[in-house]
């Protein structure tokens, strides 16, 4: 809400008239920026999911890491993406559809990699972990977490992704025992 087209022009080292000409409104500019970033995110996540040469444990670790590290590096963009989903309940937005497409592809890959697991339970576990990650994205610093998961450090980002990966497999094992 605080951002103005003039601020955007200055940050982009662009002429305000050019921005106004190409985008007409700040909302159109922001929509285009969000569309580009979510499309990039979806492409990266889908490449990771579709790499069947990689063990599934490594795949979900990389996806969890990507989401955590990406939101840590770009908290404002992450919040902007989630705003329409959470506040406006716009599940048909490009963000909503992109998140859902990535989630469904990951569930499909989990079902292929873990055929003995209950498909519905796989979906619930992944939804729970995605929800936890998304909440952390929206509320950075709200919950105090141990130093080993310091999100300002690469080791902390990797450790948190590993924690969520282990949580996934522990929940699966608990269900099957």
């Amino acid at each position: 809400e605080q951002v103005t087209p003039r601020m955007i022009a200055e940050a982009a080292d662009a002429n305000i008239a050019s921005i106004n000409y190409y985008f007409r409104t700040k909302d159109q500019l922001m929509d285009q920026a969000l569309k580009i970033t979510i499309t990039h995110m979806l492409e990266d996540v889908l490449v990771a999911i579709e790499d069947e040469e990689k063990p599934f444990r490594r795949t979900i670790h990389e996806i969890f890491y990507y989401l955590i590290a990406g939101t840590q590096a770009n908290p404002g963009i992450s919040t902007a993406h989630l705003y329409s989903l959470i506040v406006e309940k716009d599940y048909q937005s490009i963000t909503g559809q992109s998140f859902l497409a990535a989630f469904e592809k990951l569930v499909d890959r989990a079902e292929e990699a873990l055929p003995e697991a209950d498909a519905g339970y796989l979906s619930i576990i992944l939804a729970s972990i995605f929800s936890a990650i998304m909440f952390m994205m929206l509320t950075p610093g709200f919950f105090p977490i141990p130093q080993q998961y310091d999100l300002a450090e690469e080791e902390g980002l990797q450790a948190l992704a590993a924690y969520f990966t282990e949580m996934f497999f522990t929940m699966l094992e608990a269900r099957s025992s």
Side-chain angles (χ1 to χ4, degrees), residues 31 34-35 38-39 81 90 92-99:
D31 287 345
L34 291 175
K35 183 177 180 179
I38 198 69
T39 300
H81 278 296
D90 183 4
Q92 298 306 313
S93 68
I94 188 165
T95 298
Q97 292 303 301
S98 295
F99 270 49

Side-chain angles (χ1 to χ4, degrees), residues 4-5 11-12 27 38 56 75 82 112 122 125 139 147 150 167 170:
T4 66
D27 288 340
I38 198 69
F56 183 68
L82 295 173
E112 291 170 12
L122 286 171
I125 295 170
T139 60
Q147 184 64 32
D150 179 2
M167 180 188 296
T170 300

